[in-house]
Amino acid sequence: MQSNELKHGLKTRHVTMISIGGVIGAGLFIGSGTIIVSAGPGAIFSYIIAGLMIVLIMRMLGEMAVVNPDSGSFSTYAHQAFGPWAGYTIGWLYWFNWVIIIAIETTLLGTMVNDWYPSIPMWAASLSFPILMTITNIYSVKAYGEFEYWLAFMKVTAIVIFLFLGAAMIFGFVPAFESPGLSNISNEGGFFPNGFLPVLLSVIFITFSLSGSEVAAIAAGESENPEKNIIRAINAVVWRLLLFFVGSVTVLVILIPQGANELLKTPYASVFDMAGLPAAGQVMNFVIFISLLSVLNSGLYTSSRMLYSLSKKGDAPKILSRVNKRGIPIWALMASVFFAYVCTTFKFVSPDKLFAFLANSSGGVTMIMYIFIAFSHLYLRKKTEKENPGTLKVKMWLFPYLTYATIAALFIIFAAQAFIDSMRLQFFLTTLLTVLVIGSYFLFYHKRAAIIPEPREQLKKIQ
């Protein structure tokens, strides 16, 4: 009989690059300009605070992943910490969130293709990309890893080139550009031209946009050496996340004058233009296109693995845990593609009502995921220290104090949505969706879970 187990086809370089590339998306290349308009040079502090938050979350997740590398990742850890309802809840919420993200990335890609080639309808272009990415995912996990490696490599290369160019411009090494020094920070209202409140509010928006690093913990479960790979991935995220985000935003703040809102609409392309480089806008559009394609590729991979994990735990139909000869959960992948197509169709049929409702319902899932990770870590760390402390190869810093502080910050950020006009609907719909998912577990799965004993209970009976 064929085993319904995933194959360990990802190499160390795959997992490392997936972890780095997972957080570099269009949100950085475009969204950073919006943050700078709102917070001014203080946006640097916004990115430092949000970046440190993600680093702490990744450290907790990494600690648990080294002890138990699993494709279900934080869903599995929530299950272990608080019972089947917790794993069921965060697993289905996370899967739904990625399906919506796939639909959003698909339509954005279609829009870009339509802009470049008006003869190609946006809907046709949009619907073609999930098919292309499904091919990379369906062949083998190594094919996905290789394809994602090069997509992430191009994004990272673009950031590195930008950082070197920005530094050269700041220190006056670019002949076509006169360095402003620190005048753009000291003039026009100083470091906090709009006060400190926009800096704190920007942290909320940035934290939501930095999701993606957790994909590395899911991918580590299919790597050749899960323990080694997750440690390397965590170390890569810790310093490169801060370097890429904080470093690039610092370059933008120094080089682009305050109040130059037109330049900040496409901040990275604006800096290349200021340096006198030709076709800067087209190059950045290509990088953004690659970023969207990378997120779509990872979305199909991540959603299929989460659905597979839910099925293995009995929280989804059993057919979804079947794998093909190459170790790919084919039915879970196809189910994710199907529902992503349904959501994409809603984007064209009812963008302002039905799709907007779905998008707002999933918008706060990232923060709920982080909260589940932090609470699971708090419980499992104490349990592991008592039962098997030798497995703690990676440890959260200043435990449990930093974990408590992170939990408090996460709750503040999540609750703050209710007081921000643009995020209020997202807060209430995501909260409602979470309540409904928990309710569905106790309505449809709780009784069955009570009948089917946990594996460890079965082991006790055998012993």
Side-chain angles (χ1 to χ4, degrees):
M1 291 181 63
Q2 182 182 330
S3 173
N4 280 342
E5 297 298 328
L6 303 176
K7 299 220 173 151
H8 299 271
L10 293 176
K11 298 183 181 297
T12 301
R13 65 184 180 88
H14 294 146
V15 179
T16 303
M17 192 59 79
I18 288 169
S19 68
I20 300 167
V23 292
I24 301 175
L28 172 63
F29 295 118
I30 299 175
S32 56
T34 305
I35 298 297
I36 294 171
V37 169
S38 173
I44 296 172
F45 281 104
S46 301
Y47 274 93
I48 290 174
I49 296 170
L52 287 174
M53 183 79 65
I54 303 303
V55 165
L56 294 175
I57 293 294
M58 274 299 292
R59 187 74 181 186
M60 296 180 211
L61 186 56
E63 180 185 303
M64 294 183 289
V66 168
V67 175
N68 179 23
D70 187 271
S71 61
S73 190
F74 42 84
S75 172
T76 298
Y77 309 142
H79 180 113
Q80 294 172 341
F82 304 111
W85 72 270
Y88 172 95
T89 299
I90 194 57
W92 277 110
L93 285 175
Y94 190 68
W95 174 82
F96 174 68
N97 182 51
W98 268 111
V99 167
I100 298 298
I101 290 174
I102 292 170
I104 293 172
E105 305 302 303
T106 296
T107 54
L108 289 174
L109 284 165
T111 301
M112 293 189 75
V113 170
N114 180 253
D115 288 340
W116 293 336
Y117 305 100
S119 60
I120 301 177
M122 188 175 75
W123 66 266
S126 296
L127 297 179
S128 66
F129 286 106
I131 296 174
L132 295 174
M133 293 302 99
T134 299
I135 293 172
T136 68
N137 275 268
I138 208 171
Y139 185 74
S140 69
V141 69
K142 185 178 180 180
Y144 154 75
E146 195 66 31
F147 193 73
E148 184 58 28
Y149 173 87
W150 289 109
L151 290 177
F153 181 82
M154 284 188 273
K155 291 191 291 184
V156 170
T157 300
I159 291 288
V160 171
I161 291 173
F162 175 82
L163 289 173
F164 274 106
L165 176 64
M169 293 170 72
I170 291 170
F171 291 105
F173 297 141
V174 178
F177 179 79
E178 184 179 348
S179 174
L182 298 178
S183 61
N184 287 334
I185 293 178
S186 58
N187 296 338
E188 301 294 334
F191 212 82
F192 304 107
N194 303 316
F196 197 69
L197 182 60
V199 174
L200 296 178
L201 292 177
S202 295
V203 172
I204 299 170
F205 291 99
I206 296 168
T207 306
F208 279 96
S209 70
L210 288 184
S211 62
S213 55
E214 74 282 347
V215 175
I218 296 174
E222 290 181 79
S223 65
E224 297 172 341
N225 189 334
E227 181 181 310
K228 174 185 174 184
N229 287 334
I230 195 62
I231 292 173
R232 288 193 62 174
I234 292 165
N235 291 335
V237 168
V238 166
W239 69 268
R240 290 177 190 174
L241 179 70
L242 294 176
L243 173 64
F244 290 158
F245 279 80
V246 178
S248 59
V249 170
T250 301
V251 168
L252 293 174
V253 164
I254 293 175
L255 294 179
I256 298 179
Q258 292 190 47
N261 294 352
E262 282 299 316
L263 294 178
L264 288 169
K265 286 182 179 179
T266 54
Y268 288 78
S270 296
V271 170
F272 282 113
D273 278 330
M274 292 161 65
L277 297 179
Q282 289 85 341
V283 172
M284 284 312 303
N285 277 335
F286 176 73
V287 172
I288 292 171
F289 180 84
I290 292 298
S291 297
L292 295 174
L293 206 59
S294 172
V295 174
L296 173 57
N297 189 40
S298 289
L300 290 174
Y301 170 80
T302 307
S303 58
S304 64
R305 268 43 177 194
M306 188 57 69
L307 207 51
Y308 165 84
S309 177
L310 286 167
S311 176
K312 290 281 285 185
K313 292 194 288 281
D315 293 336
K318 276 297 176 187
I319 192 173
L320 298 176
S321 58
R322 292 183 185 176
V323 302
N324 62 14
K325 292 180 180 179
R326 300 186 185 94
I328 302 299
I330 186 70
W331 291 106
L333 177 60
M334 290 304 168
S336 298
V337 172
F338 172 77
F339 282 102
Y341 266 128
V342 171
C343 294
T344 304
T345 303
F346 290 156
K347 176 67 175 177
F348 292 109
V349 175
S350 180
D352 298 326
K353 293 182 180 179
L354 191 53
F355 187 80
F357 175 83
L358 293 174
N360 279 307
S361 297
S362 69
V365 166
T366 296
M367 204 53 53
I368 293 175
M369 171 190 70
Y370 291 158
I371 291 171
F372 267 91
I373 289 173
F375 273 111
S376 299
H377 170 258
L378 194 63
Y379 177 86
L380 293 177
R381 169 66 177 270
K382 292 178 179 178
K383 182 180 178 183
T384 305
E385 284 181 339
K386 290 181 181 178
E387 297 178 357
N388 196 3
T391 59
L392 290 170
K393 304 292 177 62
V394 173
K395 293 184 179 181
M396 175 64 176
W397 306 292
L398 298 176
F399 179 84
Y401 307 109
L402 267 183
T403 303
Y404 282 126
T406 304
I407 290 172
L410 291 172
F411 271 108
I412 291 171
I413 291 173
F414 183 73
Q417 296 175 90
F419 302 95
I420 301 173
D421 290 341
S422 61
M423 304 185 82
R424 188 173 294 119
L425 181 61
Q426 171 179 292
F427 169 78
F428 287 112
L429 287 180
T430 302
T431 302
L432 176 63
L433 177 66
T434 303
V435 172
L436 290 176
V437 171
I438 294 174
S440 71
Y441 170 80
F442 287 101
L443 278 175
F444 303 113
Y445 283 89
H446 179 57
K447 291 182 180 179
R448 194 177 73 182
I451 295 172
I452 303 174
E454 291 286 309
R456 58 190 175 196
E457 292 177 1
Q458 292 176 330
L459 183 62
K460 288 179 182 178
K461 289 181 180 179
I462 293 173
Q463 290 174 339

